[in-house]
Amino acid sequence: MVARIVHGLEIAEREMLQEKARNGEHVIVSGSNGVIRSVPAETYL
């Protein structure tokens, strides 16, 4: 059951990133050092 939920979330995240990349949008990410930054969505595809 949990595996299905995780898989669904992975699909949703990928679809969101693809849509943002198509629109030339950025996403907000936090690195391991705690620095928060805005990067192009296509970076994560």
Side-chain angles (χ1 to χ4, degrees):
M1 177 80 169
V2 174
R4 288 179 57 196
I5 294 171
V6 170
H7 181 68
L9 289 171
E10 290 170 347
I11 292 170
E13 180 181 28
R14 180 149 184 92
E15 289 175 355
M16 178 203 64
L17 287 171
Q18 289 171 337
E19 183 175 344
K20 285 186 170 288
R22 275 194 302 273
N23 295 330
E25 298 178 32
H26 286 70
V27 292
I28 306 300
V29 296
S30 175
S32 59
N33 58 359
V35 175
I36 297 171
R37 49 193 177 122
S38 174
V39 296
E42 60 195 25
T43 302
Y44 284 92
L45 293 176

